[in-house]
Amino acid sequence: MSEIKVITISRQYAAGGRSVARELSEQLGIPWYDRDFVKKTAQASGYSEEDIRREGEDAGSSHWLTNLISPMSYESSSDAIYNAQKGVILDMVQKESCIIIGRCSNVILKEAGIPCLSVFLYADLDHRLKRAEELHENGSMDLRRFVERRDSRRAAYYRIYAGHEFGDYHDYHLSLDTGKIGYHGCVELIAGLMR
């Protein structure tokens, strides 16, 4: 594993992806990127940071509608943002060792022939509901519905841009249950593999 300098983390919503990445970053002394992509993608794409935040890793109805109306001749804003993020990821991993959360980075790097350790984090729904409650991101929406919606949109995004089913073990070197192992336990396992 010594030649691998990049870790990608895919995750279910509220399974602790940012918590694991943050601690892993501290242990390994390498940066981690998640929401940092917004600024870098805005610079690369010309879209505003607000547009990129809104699109995030969600495949919204605008993507489906655009492809239904004009599947070959028009690049939707979602597609343009994804392509800009892809360029940012490929550029970044050439310059430094790092941890990348989401954005189909595991598949992007695999297709580019760039070695990485691909990790998928998941947990049972009760664990994730408890964590989602702490995050306070659901606004007035029912918490269970919010978590299911986030998972559904993340899965759709992955299906569209990676061409695979989200969470399929074939796309990852390691799949870890953060609810059972704990965030710190996951960090220790991943850091051990990297060392």
Side-chain angles (χ1 to χ4, degrees):
M1 291 284 212
S2 60
E3 77 280 359
I4 295 175
K5 303 295 185 200
V6 179
I7 301 168
T8 65
I9 298 178
S10 298
R11 72 284 182 233
Q12 289 180 313
Y13 179 72
R18 285 194 298 265
S19 298
V20 169
R22 186 180 302 112
E23 186 178 341
L24 197 54
S25 170
E26 291 169 8
Q27 277 208 23
L28 297 176
I30 60 176
W32 66 285
Y33 298 101
D34 180 17
R35 293 179 177 159
D36 320 71
F37 280 103
V38 171
K39 186 173 284 192
K40 290 176 185 273
T41 303
Q43 292 166 350
S45 69
Y47 282 92
S48 72
E49 290 184 26
E50 183 180 323
D51 287 338
I52 294 164
R53 266 190 218 92
R54 187 174 52 249
E55 296 289 340
E57 288 180 288
D58 291 343
S61 58
S62 65
H63 183 277
W64 298 104
L65 183 60
T66 299
N67 284 342
L68 182 67
I69 294 168
S70 181
M72 299 294 242
S73 61
Y74 180 78
E75 181 180 61
S76 71
S77 60
S78 297
D79 294 339
I81 289 169
Y82 170 78
N83 287 325
Q85 285 183 144
K86 181 178 178 179
V88 168
I89 289 167
L90 292 172
D91 183 56
M92 195 167 31
V93 300
Q94 299 298 325
K95 296 176 181 172
E96 65 181 347
S97 297
C98 59
I99 301 162
I100 303 171
I101 297 181
R103 285 147 183 93
C104 302
S105 54
N106 57 319
V107 174
I108 290 168
L109 296 182
K110 182 178 182 180
E111 288 175 352
I114 298 170
C116 66
L117 176 65
S118 298
V119 178
F120 183 75
L121 301 178
Y122 65 96
D124 65 43
L125 185 57
D126 287 339
H127 175 85
R128 294 188 303 119
L129 286 171
K130 183 178 176 186
R131 177 66 182 139
E133 189 171 26
E134 295 168 0
L135 294 172
H136 305 292
E137 293 179 341
N138 62 308
S140 60
M141 186 184 289
D142 173 75
L143 192 60
R144 179 181 294 266
R145 185 167 175 255
F146 179 76
V147 169
E148 289 170 351
R149 181 176 164 205
R150 290 293 299 266
D151 280 345
S152 174
R153 288 185 168 195
R154 200 167 275 176
Y157 181 92
Y158 195 80
R159 195 175 309 112
I160 290 165
Y161 294 111
H164 302 236
E165 289 302 312
F166 186 64
D168 183 336
Y169 73 91
H170 292 98
D171 282 343
Y172 309 99
H173 300 110
L174 193 61
S175 293
L176 300 172
D177 183 339
T178 59
K180 300 286 188 215
I181 301 170
Y183 300 161
H184 182 71
C186 290
V187 168
E188 291 299 312
L189 286 167
I190 299 166
L193 285 173
M194 292 301 287
R195 289 187 184 113

